[in-house]
Amino acid sequence: MAENREQEDSRQKTPEKNARQNDLSRYVFDWRNPNMSAGTAEKKSGQTGGGDENILNLTEGDSRASADTEHTASTRTDERADESGMAGKKKKKNTGRRAAGGKKAAEQKKNSGGTGKRRKKTGKRLLRVWLNRAFAVILFAAFLALLIWGFSRLLGVLNGEQTTEVDYDVLPDYVTEDYLTVNSYSRPGISLSEVNGIVIHYTANPGATAQQNRDYFEGLAESGETHASSHFIIGLDGEVIACVPLGELAYASNSRNTDTISIECCHEDETGEFTEATYESLVKLTVWLCGKYGLESEDVIRHYDITGKSCPRYYVDNPDAWTEFLADVADGLS
């Protein structure tokens, strides 16, 4: 009996239970249907009764919360994607800028190096140009000098002048080389750095020969009596003795010892006048020396012109005779 009652109760409860399940299933179906509006859901829920309405409201709230969550998550995902994209673009942009900056710096460095090389090449080119110009000027000057010299030589030949050059490294054949021994009193062995004049002397020893005067200079090395000598001595008969080499200093002309060549002349008496042979040798030797050192007759002086000493006496006492001598030297040079 009890079992029969339970079956009847279940049968009576079954329709009501089924009706509720059907309403719930329709709600669930309608919630899942995107085309179903909230008003439709409320209308149907109103037909099902109060309990079903509460269930419908809870389910709708859950669905909306889930949708909001999904929307928020989607929005955040999009924002992150946008931020990531912007960061990537910014990083890419910065990388591009750095690359561009590095490329620009490399170009500037390259341009700077190229400029330096160009300047160096330009400097070398200018130097070569100036050197070539200087060389050309030197060649032109040398050619011009040679042309002038040749033209002057040609004029000399046409005018009948003597063109044979004299070898001044060798003494004339009328000169006897009898050099003094090197000593502190007559031949110190000091070199002459230059020759700017020729000084004429007289021996102040009437009647003595050229050799006797030369030996007197040699004896000073032992006697030490005084400092005296001369490059040349011309005797009474016109003989010429070389006592001191031309490249060395002689003790004859005081302050002009260092840049002059000295000639002593013998004489017969106290007047100091030279014999004709002595005079001719004096003119000839003086002309030769002037030619050797490129001097003129004005560069020939008396011992008197340096110290005021009456030497050579005859030409100090007779200035006209001295002027005549210089004229003869000038004629010999011309």
Side-chain angles (χ1 to χ4, degrees), residues 26-36:
R26 282 196 301 270
Y27 169 75
V28 173
F29 174 77
D30 293 338
W31 175 72
R32 292 179 179 177
N33 185 2
N35 297 324
M36 187 175 209

Side-chain angles (χ1 to χ4, degrees), residues 98-232:
R98 287 195 295 270
K103 186 177 180 180
K104 187 175 181 180
E107 291 179 354
Q108 291 178 351
K109 185 176 181 180
K110 184 178 179 180
N111 293 334
S112 177
T115 302
K117 290 181 179 179
R118 286 194 297 272
R119 289 178 179 175
K120 189 174 182 179
K121 289 181 179 179
T122 302
K124 289 183 178 180
R125 186 162 51 251
L126 290 175
L127 179 61
R128 286 196 297 269
V129 170
W130 283 109
L131 288 177
N132 290 335
R133 290 181 179 178
F135 183 69
V137 170
I138 293 173
L139 284 180
F140 178 76
F143 173 76
L144 187 61
L146 182 62
L147 185 64
I148 294 173
W149 176 81
F151 186 70
S152 63
R153 296 272 296 180
L154 179 61
L155 288 178
V157 171
L158 293 176
N159 292 331
E161 297 179 359
Q162 178 67 33
T163 58
T164 303
E165 294 184 359
V166 179
D167 184 3
Y168 293 119
D169 293 332
V170 179
L171 293 175
D173 55 5
Y174 55 82
V175 176
T176 301
E177 297 180 25
D178 191 4
Y179 296 122
L180 305 175
T181 304
V182 177
N183 65 87
S184 300
Y185 294 93
S186 57
R187 185 188 170 187
I190 300 173
S191 298
L192 276 178
S193 59
E194 57 183 351
V195 175
N196 297 317
I198 298 170
V199 184
I200 308 302
H201 303 259
Y202 88 129
T203 61
N205 185 14
T209 64
Q211 187 64 47
Q212 290 173 336
N213 282 283
R214 183 265 171 206
D215 293 341
Y216 167 76
F217 291 147
E218 179 71 25
L220 293 175
E222 296 181 1
S223 66
E225 179 182 344
T226 186
H227 294 82
S229 62
S230 181
H231 288 94
F232 298 97

